[in-house]
Amino acid sequence: MKRRVIAAGIAMTLGLTATACGGDDGSDGGKATDGKGKTLTVWIMEGTNPDARPFFKEAGKAFEKKTGAKIHVEYQQWATAQKKFTTAIEGGEDQVPDVAEVGTTWVPQFAETGALVDVTDDVKKSGLNDDLVEGLADAGTLDGKQYGMPWYAGVRSIVYRKDVFEKHKLKAPTTWKELQSAAKTLKDKEPGMIPFPVAGGAEMFATPFIWGAGGELATEQGGTWKSGINSPEAVKGIEFYTGLATKDKVSPAKVNTWTEKEVGDAWGKGQVAMSVNGNWTPKAIVEANPDLKGKLGAVPIPGQNGGMSKSFLGGSYLSTFNTDKKDLSWEFVKMLTTGDFAAKWAGQTNYFPGQNSELKKIEAKKDPLVEPFAKQMLEAGATVPKTKAYGEIQASQVVTGMVQSILNGKATVQEAADKAAKDMDAIFAKSE
């Protein structure tokens, strides 16, 4: 029988404090695993942390002091990592790393092969499970078994030009109607700016409006997945989002194929007034354009009639693979995902790592460019369907293709959604 992921949320928060974990190195106060003479092979994705090498040099020294073992870090590219993992898993124990950063949407695929270690009991014994954000823990859980520890994650909310909004006496939107009205005002008052980019190549810009209208990308019944993207609720959300471009004209045609990166580039040039953005982007925007320092604001993605629309929470787990160093690998995973090292990684990457208690501390600081994202993550996080088939759906660009066909006038919203549903169902059926 096809395995099923037990949950749908994916959220990530800051690591347990050193006191809660038993020490500054994230240990649980017990006897350290003896690793003298051993070396762990660790795969880490390139680019998330600009200071990754100094970070792992420090972590390696701490780990060697604690266990006697060394670490050997190999940096991987996101674009090719999934294929490399798959090839290594097919090659057997000698080919896989001992510890690796695994994208949350990859966990189901790798766990189903038996390559990942079930650390459910280790997490419980360490006293970590009670403070993990439920959605994030669920993201790495398959049939009630947890396959790694949450390391870091990001969430998307709304970023806007506070100075421009103040200039035109606009308030940050709290409903879809207010978002639409603000964008239309900005179109008239700031003709040199993009009021709200409807980026056709950014899947996770569209999904909040599908979820916000009460729709789902897909649902599961009896182990079988079926697309929900052409339901009346989902279509309503898609219609609102794409209508901002096709009807309200607040997003120019050049944006129809833009990805998140291109939206970010436009922000750096001072060309955007408001858009969906990740929590890691405000700092990058200001670094690209120092003139914007102090001029940015952020709010959760508004719900249709108030509250919040759900937003995709993505990130990474640190998982142990089935090698002969499983116990030692767990010690390293625990050290990096809790305590001081979790906090340092968060500070260096501008992502949220860890547990509920620490994310709530961040939220409580009321940093105007952080608190809204923390609130979004804690209260309105969502994920894509937890099945390996959805990776193929993303690779086939089903959702972005749907959005672009609407923006380019090649299909009505219903026609595009029906085609996307058909394509998704064909991929689901093939994977069963």
Side-chain angles (χ1 to χ4, degrees), residues 10 85 122 137 297 346:
I10 195 175
F85 272 116
D122 294 313

Side-chain angles (χ1 to χ4, degrees), residues 158-161 165 179-198 244 248-252 255 267 271-276:
I158 297 287
V159 175
Y160 65 99
R161 281 286 297 272
F165 270 59
L179 188 154
Q180 180 186 40
S181 176
K184 290 171 72 173
T185 297
L186 291 166
K187 175 192 170 187
D188 293 335
K189 302 293 186 181
E190 297 288 343
M193 302 186 79
I194 301 171
F196 188 85
V198 179
L244 291 169
D248 299 321
K249 308 296 183 182
V250 301
S251 179
V255 181
W267 265 105
Q271 297 172 348
V272 179
M274 171 178 57
S275 75
V276 177

Side-chain angles (χ1 to χ4, degrees), residues 60-69:
K61 288 181 179 178
F63 188 64
E64 185 173 8
K65 181 179 180 181
K66 178 185 175 185
T67 67

Side-chain angles (χ1 to χ4, degrees), residues 129-415:
N129 57 312
D130 289 340
D131 200 32
L132 293 180
V133 169
E134 181 180 358
L136 182 58
D138 287 342
T141 301
L142 203 66
D143 291 341
K145 299 176 181 179
Q146 189 169 327
Y147 291 93
M149 275 286 287
W151 191 19
Y152 69 88
V155 67
R156 292 161 182 83
S157 295
I158 297 287
V159 175
Y160 65 99
R161 281 286 297 272
K162 188 169 58 175
D163 58 327
V164 175
F165 270 59
E166 290 173 352
K167 176 182 175 182
H168 301 296
K169 298 181 180 179
L170 295 171
K171 294 182 179 179
T174 61
T175 65
W176 287 6
K177 186 176 181 179
E178 289 179 4
L179 188 154
Q180 180 186 40
S181 176
K184 290 171 72 173
T185 297
L186 291 166
K187 175 192 170 187
D188 293 335
K189 302 293 186 181
E190 297 288 343
M193 302 186 79
I194 301 171
F196 188 85
V198 179
E203 178 181 346
M204 299 313 168
F205 281 20
T207 51
F209 298 96
I210 294 173
W211 288 320
E216 295 290 346
L217 296 171
T219 56
E220 182 196 24
Q221 289 186 344
T224 299
W225 285 91
K226 182 174 177 56
S227 175
I229 202 165
N230 63 338
S231 71
E233 295 84 2
V235 167
K236 185 176 182 179
I238 298 165
E239 188 172 35
F240 173 80
Y241 177 62
T242 57
L244 291 169
T246 60
K247 296 178 181 178
D248 299 321
K249 308 296 183 182
V250 301
S251 179
K254 66 180 180 181
V255 181
N256 290 359
T257 59
W258 277 13
T259 63
E260 289 194 50
K261 180 184 182 302
E262 287 159 316
V263 174
D265 291 343
W267 265 105
K269 296 174 183 177
Q271 297 172 348
V272 179
M274 171 178 57
S275 75
V276 177
N277 279 88
N279 61 281
W280 57 94
T281 61
K283 182 178 179 181
I285 291 170
V286 173
E287 287 177 349
N289 188 345
D291 289 342
L292 294 181
K293 186 176 182 179
K295 297 179 180 179
L296 302 181
V299 290
I301 299 174
Q304 187 174 356
N305 298 305
M308 289 179 279
S309 291
K310 292 180 181 179
S311 179
F312 176 73
L313 303 168
S316 289
Y317 260 55
L318 274 186
S319 295
T320 58
F321 280 70
N322 268 308
T323 70
D324 59 358
K325 305 187 188 97
K326 290 191 284 287
D327 291 342
L328 192 62
S329 296
W330 166 247
E331 290 296 325
F332 186 66
V333 167
K334 186 169 54 177
M335 188 186 82
L336 257 64
T337 57
T338 63
D340 283 357
F341 281 109
K344 287 178 182 178
W345 186 263
Q348 292 175 14
T349 62
N350 296 310
Y351 280 85
F352 293 124
Q355 287 80 33
N356 278 314
S357 55
E358 293 300 322
L359 185 57
K360 288 178 180 177
K361 290 179 183 178
I362 290 178
E363 186 182 20
K365 291 180 180 178
K366 303 297 181 183
D367 183 321
L369 288 177
V370 176
E371 185 269 341
F373 291 102
K375 185 178 181 65
Q376 181 94 58
M377 182 171 286
L378 281 170
E379 301 178 25
T383 190
V384 298
K386 303 310 322 181
T387 166
K388 64 180 181 180
Y390 203 78
E392 185 176 342
I393 288 170
Q394 289 183 309
S396 300
Q397 299 184 333
V398 173
V399 176
T400 54
M402 173 192 71
V403 172
Q404 289 179 23
S405 69
I406 298 166
L407 296 178
N408 294 329
K410 295 181 178 179
T412 66
V413 174
Q414 188 67 60
E415 288 171 347

Side-chain angles (χ1 to χ4, degrees), residues 45-115:
M45 297 301 113
E46 186 85 60
T48 304
N49 185 347
D51 296 319
R53 284 162 178 79
F55 173 90
F56 279 102
K57 183 177 181 180
E58 181 183 359
K61 288 181 179 178
F63 188 64
E64 185 173 8
K65 181 179 180 181
K66 178 185 175 185
T67 67
K70 297 179 182 294
I71 63 168
H72 173 67
V73 180
E74 297 179 7
Y75 295 95
Q76 311 296 334
Q77 299 297 318
W78 278 109
T80 56
Q82 189 172 12
K83 183 177 181 180
K84 185 169 183 178
F85 272 116
T86 301
T87 301
I89 290 169
E90 291 173 349
E93 181 182 323
D94 293 340
Q95 302 297 314
V96 296
D98 298 299
V99 176
E101 174 183 351
V102 177
T104 47
T105 59
W106 297 349
V107 173
Q109 176 186 353
F110 300 161
E112 284 181 350
T113 69

